[in-house]
Amino acid sequence: DNEQEVIKNYIKVQEKFNNKKSIQFLKTHSYLFNINNNPFTNLDNSLGAIYIVRDPRNVVTSWANFLGISNDEAADKMINSHTLGGEKFNQDKKLEKIVITYTGSWGSNYASWKSFNTQGKYLLIKYENLIEHSDDVFREVLKFIYKINEKKFKIDQNKFKNVIETTNFENMRKLEEKKGFIEARINHKTGKKSSFFNLGPKNDWKNILDEDLKIKLNNIFKKDLNELNYD
């Protein structure tokens, strides 16, 4: 319940993870912050970072669907520093507390993790490439993991093929339809559960966003869009 104590203990918890003497994978939406001299992580506790980035103009529509808000509201959350978690109502309409994740803005989040690149421990993956060239990108991810772990690269072709086939977007969407998905939310405007696996590769900001919002996002994220070669 004490968020300041949580922040102070990020590193201690990671040290406990690392006592297992094996590679641990942590998925996070956090930016790489330092709050009151308390870092989110450090090089003693993180072997490397694989950062998956997506065109922010498509993130807007995905984020809006997830939160059940308008595209303009989602854009404002991405442009400004914000958090995930805190107090919220669950599917049973009961108030629950979730540990806060400091995501920062879309731009600050993307920029913060680049610091691992100076140590050669950073792999940038574009969501669009992951969808369009799954085999090549997944192989790149595996090679990176072997490299930073100082292990000789090897691959099990059967497992590799199975991962690619079973985790494609259409399969994940069918699984959600059949079994549900824990991160799917109730849209408070409609009272219905929104699909977590919504549009995926068909999410195209050029056809969805209105002109004013396109211009706004293009101007705000201009530097990053150019750096990432997003048209």
Side-chain angles (χ1 to χ4, degrees), residues 169-179:
F169 183 80
E170 287 305 320
N171 275 345
M172 299 303 288
R173 184 161 64 176
K174 288 176 183 176
L175 272 175
E176 181 182 9
E177 290 172 356
K178 188 182 296 184
K179 299 184 177 181

mmCIF file of all heavy atoms in Angstrom, residues 169-179:
data_model
loop_
_atom_site.group_PDB
_atom_site.id
_atom_site.type_symbol
_atom_site.label_atom_id
_atom_site.label_comp_id
_atom_site.label_asym_id
_atom_site.label_seq_id
_atom_site.Cartn_x
_atom_site.Cartn_y
_atom_site.Cartn_z
ATOM 1 N N PHE A 169 -1.351 -13.655 -34.692
ATOM 2 C CA PHE A 169 -2.455 -12.846 -34.177
ATOM 3 C C PHE A 169 -3.800 -13.563 -34.273
ATOM 4 O O PHE A 169 -4.601 -13.551 -33.332
ATOM 5 C CB PHE A 169 -2.515 -11.510 -34.923
ATOM 6 C CG PHE A 169 -3.577 -10.587 -34.390
ATOM 7 C CD1 PHE A 169 -3.353 -9.841 -33.252
ATOM 8 C CD2 PHE A 169 -4.814 -10.493 -35.025
ATOM 9 C CE1 PHE A 169 -4.336 -9.007 -32.739
ATOM 10 C CE2 PHE A 169 -5.805 -9.661 -34.527
ATOM 11 C CZ PHE A 169 -5.560 -8.916 -33.373
ATOM 12 N N GLU A 170 -4.067 -14.190 -35.396
ATOM 13 C CA GLU A 170 -5.355 -14.848 -35.585
ATOM 14 C C GLU A 170 -5.557 -15.978 -34.581
ATOM 15 O O GLU A 170 -6.656 -16.153 -34.042
ATOM 16 C CB GLU A 170 -5.473 -15.374 -37.017
ATOM 17 C CG GLU A 170 -5.691 -14.278 -38.049
ATOM 18 C CD GLU A 170 -6.902 -13.404 -37.744
ATOM 19 O OE1 GLU A 170 -7.940 -13.953 -37.310
ATOM 20 O OE2 GLU A 170 -6.820 -12.179 -37.915
ATOM 21 N N ASN A 171 -4.508 -16.736 -34.311
ATOM 22 C CA ASN A 171 -4.619 -17.808 -33.321
ATOM 23 C C ASN A 171 -4.881 -17.258 -31.925
ATOM 24 O O ASN A 171 -5.679 -17.808 -31.159
ATOM 25 C CB ASN A 171 -3.346 -18.656 -33.302
ATOM 26 C CG ASN A 171 -3.351 -19.753 -34.347
ATOM 27 O OD1 ASN A 171 -4.395 -20.079 -34.907
ATOM 28 N ND2 ASN A 171 -2.200 -20.332 -34.617
ATOM 29 N N MET A 172 -4.194 -16.167 -31.590
ATOM 30 C CA MET A 172 -4.382 -15.567 -30.276
ATOM 31 C C MET A 172 -5.805 -15.012 -30.135
ATOM 32 O O MET A 172 -6.429 -15.118 -29.080
ATOM 33 C CB MET A 172 -3.356 -14.447 -30.046
ATOM 34 C CG MET A 172 -1.905 -14.905 -30.084
ATOM 35 S SD MET A 172 -1.519 -16.202 -28.887
ATOM 36 C CE MET A 172 -1.576 -15.289 -27.362
ATOM 37 N N ARG A 173 -6.322 -14.438 -31.200
ATOM 38 C CA ARG A 173 -7.683 -13.897 -31.151
ATOM 39 C C ARG A 173 -8.714 -15.021 -30.991
ATOM 40 O O ARG A 173 -9.674 -14.890 -30.235
ATOM 41 C CB ARG A 173 -7.987 -13.084 -32.410
ATOM 42 C CG ARG A 173 -9.359 -12.418 -32.365
ATOM 43 C CD ARG A 173 -9.489 -11.297 -33.328
ATOM 44 N NE ARG A 173 -9.383 -11.746 -34.708
ATOM 45 C CZ ARG A 173 -9.548 -10.924 -35.753
ATOM 46 N NH1 ARG A 173 -9.778 -9.642 -35.550
ATOM 47 N NH2 ARG A 173 -9.455 -11.381 -36.982
ATOM 48 N N LYS A 174 -8.504 -16.138 -31.701
ATOM 49 C CA LYS A 174 -9.421 -17.278 -31.582
ATOM 50 C C LYS A 174 -9.376 -17.866 -30.172
ATOM 51 O O LYS A 174 -10.407 -18.272 -29.622
ATOM 52 C CB LYS A 174 -9.052 -18.344 -32.617
ATOM 53 C CG LYS A 174 -9.402 -17.960 -34.045
ATOM 54 C CD LYS A 174 -8.924 -19.018 -35.032
ATOM 55 C CE LYS A 174 -9.220 -18.585 -36.472
ATOM 56 N NZ LYS A 174 -8.676 -19.569 -37.451
ATOM 57 N N LEU A 175 -8.176 -17.902 -29.579
ATOM 58 C CA LEU A 175 -8.047 -18.393 -28.210
ATOM 59 C C LEU A 175 -8.815 -17.498 -27.234
ATOM 60 O O LEU A 175 -9.463 -17.990 -26.306
ATOM 61 C CB LEU A 175 -6.569 -18.449 -27.808
ATOM 62 C CG LEU A 175 -5.804 -19.732 -28.120
ATOM 63 C CD1 LEU A 175 -4.334 -19.571 -27.779
ATOM 64 C CD2 LEU A 175 -6.399 -20.912 -27.356
ATOM 65 N N GLU A 176 -8.728 -16.183 -27.463
ATOM 66 C CA GLU A 176 -9.459 -15.257 -26.592
ATOM 67 C C GLU A 176 -10.963 -15.471 -26.724
ATOM 68 O O GLU A 176 -11.694 -15.450 -25.726
ATOM 69 C CB GLU A 176 -9.103 -13.807 -26.932
ATOM 70 C CG GLU A 176 -9.826 -12.820 -26.021
ATOM 71 C CD GLU A 176 -9.542 -11.368 -26.345
ATOM 72 O OE1 GLU A 176 -8.920 -11.098 -27.393
ATOM 73 O OE2 GLU A 176 -9.952 -10.497 -25.558
ATOM 74 N N GLU A 177 -11.444 -15.655 -27.944
ATOM 75 C CA GLU A 177 -12.872 -15.876 -28.167
ATOM 76 C C GLU A 177 -13.345 -17.146 -27.475
ATOM 77 O O GLU A 177 -14.456 -17.218 -26.960
ATOM 78 C CB GLU A 177 -13.156 -15.958 -29.669
ATOM 79 C CG GLU A 177 -12.993 -14.632 -30.398
ATOM 80 C CD GLU A 177 -13.095 -14.786 -31.904
ATOM 81 O OE1 GLU A 177 -13.220 -15.942 -32.365
ATOM 82 O OE2 GLU A 177 -13.064 -13.761 -32.620
ATOM 83 N N LYS A 178 -12.475 -18.147 -27.442
ATOM 84 C CA LYS A 178 -12.841 -19.444 -26.883
ATOM 85 C C LYS A 178 -12.670 -19.497 -25.366
ATOM 86 O O LYS A 178 -13.527 -20.015 -24.639
ATOM 87 C CB LYS A 178 -11.992 -20.538 -27.537
ATOM 88 C CG LYS A 178 -12.407 -21.962 -27.168
ATOM 89 C CD LYS A 178 -11.486 -22.989 -27.816
ATOM 90 C CE LYS A 178 -11.602 -22.938 -29.339
ATOM 91 N NZ LYS A 178 -10.765 -24.009 -29.981
ATOM 92 N N LYS A 179 -11.561 -18.940 -24.869
ATOM 93 C CA LYS A 179 -11.224 -19.100 -23.457
ATOM 94 C C LYS A 179 -11.140 -17.792 -22.670
ATOM 95 O O LYS A 179 -10.945 -17.804 -21.459
ATOM 96 C CB LYS A 179 -9.889 -19.844 -23.325
ATOM 97 C CG LYS A 179 -9.912 -21.246 -23.918
ATOM 98 C CD LYS A 179 -8.594 -21.961 -23.667
ATOM 99 C CE LYS A 179 -8.634 -23.386 -24.200
ATOM 100 N NZ LYS A 179 -7.376 -24.117 -23.940
#
